[in-house]
């Protein structure tokens, strides 16, 4: 199965700053079938990005995704208070679908 | 709007079984499938498998094969996940998520609220 490694584990930033989250796959992700989810404590994950760079319905344009092959990035251009959460990448190109271990974006 | 409402918290002893339900509304249940994803305390997400709502076809992650059964009841638009021979490392929050009909797409815009399952002697 494809192992996804996210970095950093924790990102300490202030509101208004730019966040850059990384996701590296142990093998190439077929057709860039890479998604990003946001999760707040006690809540279900929320789909942000699919196909590596397409925003899901209702997701603000400050969220953007990029990458292909084995290296992917989620960028939040200007952090809003509600963006401080845990972010997971997920590949859905090769079964079993797998998730990264998460990056926590916390308030500095 | 699409809603998936899961059953409540469960506490089980090692070796027991648990059955979690996921009642859906706001869409035509039989035109989609349901996947199950779990999250151990403080850990990441783990895909367990998929069931087609109408046909009952399933695809389980190898890790859970032989121990999990996913079923649906189209008359009540409800999906079920039955996990047997529970161990302490099965302690997790279990989520259902709307998926595709013919096979799991792996993409989940709609989720249930989660069901906490604790396995402890």
């Amino acid at each position: 199965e494809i192992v996804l490694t996210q970095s950093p584990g924790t990102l300490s930033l202030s509101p208004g700053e730019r966040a850059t989250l990384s996701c590296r796959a142990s093998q190439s992700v077929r057709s860039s079938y890479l998604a990003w989810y946001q999760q707040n404590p006690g809540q279900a994950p929320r789909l942000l990005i699919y196909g590596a760079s397409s925003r899901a319905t209702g997701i603000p344009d400050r969220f953007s995704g990029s990458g292909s092959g084995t290296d992917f990035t989620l960028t939040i251009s200007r952090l809003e208070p509600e963006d401080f959460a845990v972010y997971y990448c997920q590949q859905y190109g090769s079964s079993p679908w797998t998730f990264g271990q998460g990056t926590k974006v916390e308030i500095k | 709007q699409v809603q998936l409402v899961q059953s409540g918290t469960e506490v089980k002893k090692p070796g027991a079984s648990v059955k979690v339900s996921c009642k859906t509304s706001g869409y035509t249940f039989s035109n989609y499938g349901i996947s199950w994803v779990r999250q151990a305390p403080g850990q990441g997400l783990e895909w367990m498998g998929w069931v087609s709502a109408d046909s009952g076809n399933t695809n389980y992650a190898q890790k859970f094969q032989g121990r999990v059964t996913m079923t649906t009841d189209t008359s009540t638009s409800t999906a079920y996940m039955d996990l047997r021979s529970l161990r302490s490392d099965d302690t997790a929050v279990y989520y259902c998520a709307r998926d595709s009909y013919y096979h799991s797409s792996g993409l989940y815009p709609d989720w249930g609220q989660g069901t906490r399952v604790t396995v402890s002697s």
Side-chain angles (χ1 to χ4, degrees):
Chain A
E1 69 180 45
I2 295 178
V3 176
L4 299 178
T5 302
Q6 293 187 239
S7 61
T10 301
L11 201 50
S12 299
L13 295 168
S14 301
E17 289 194 294
R18 182 185 188 91
T20 303
L21 288 67
S22 174
C23 176
R24 178 162 289 178
S26 60
Q27 54 189 280
S28 185
V29 176
R30 183 174 70 91
S31 302
S32 294
Y33 285 159
L34 193 287
W36 290 92
Y37 293 83
Q38 176 193 67
Q39 188 178 35
N40 286 296
Q43 295 187 16
R46 174 193 181 197
L47 178 65
L48 299 176
I49 300 287
Y50 63 95
S53 61
S54 298
R55 275 187 300 277
T57 302
I59 302 303
D61 60 8
R62 65 179 180 272
F63 291 92
S64 63
S66 62
S68 63
T70 60
D71 289 294
F72 299 88
T73 300
L74 174 70
T75 301
I76 311 171
S77 58
R78 295 172 310 279
L79 283 164
E80 298 286 341
E82 62 267 28
D83 299 337
F84 291 92
V86 179
Y87 293 83
Y88 294 95
C89 59
Q90 177 220 0
Q91 68 81 22
Y92 54 102
S94 301
S95 184
W97 322 134
T98 52
F99 295 83
Q101 82 282 13
T103 290
K104 182 179 182 180
V105 179
E106 65 175 22
I107 299 177
K108 186 175 182 180
Chain B
Q1 74 280 21
V2 174
Q3 285 194 306
L4 296 86
V5 179
Q6 299 183 224
S7 49
T9 299
E10 300 270 8
V11 179
K12 297 291 182 180
K13 293 194 183 302
S17 298
V18 69
K19 192 168 187 174
V20 179
S21 68
C22 171
K23 184 169 177 59
T24 71
S25 60
Y27 70 98
T28 303
F29 180 70
S30 57
N31 288 352
Y32 291 84
I34 293 287
S35 269
W36 292 88
V37 176
R38 75 177 187 179
Q39 185 171 35
Q43 303 299 309
L45 300 156
E46 182 175 34
W47 179 74
M48 299 178 67
W50 160 90
V51 58
S52 177
D54 191 41
S55 69
N57 290 341
T58 54
N59 178 21
Y60 301 141
Q62 188 170 11
K63 174 177 179 176
F64 298 100
Q65 290 210 6
R67 213 160 62 92
V68 72
T69 302
M70 296 176 187
T71 57
T72 62
D73 181 346
T74 54
S75 69
T76 60
S77 301
T78 302
Y80 298 91
M81 188 282 298
D82 191 345
L83 187 63
R84 302 176 291 280
S85 303
L86 290 169
R87 308 183 288 255
S88 58
D89 62 0
D90 290 318
T91 294
V93 175
Y94 289 76
Y95 294 100
C96 60
R98 187 170 69 150
D99 205 333
S100 298
Y101 177 83
Y102 289 106
H103 56 81
S104 176
S105 70
L107 206 54
Y108 307 121
D110 303 301
W111 295 70
Q113 84 278 16
T115 295
R116 185 173 302 277
V117 176
T118 301
V119 183
S120 174
S121 55

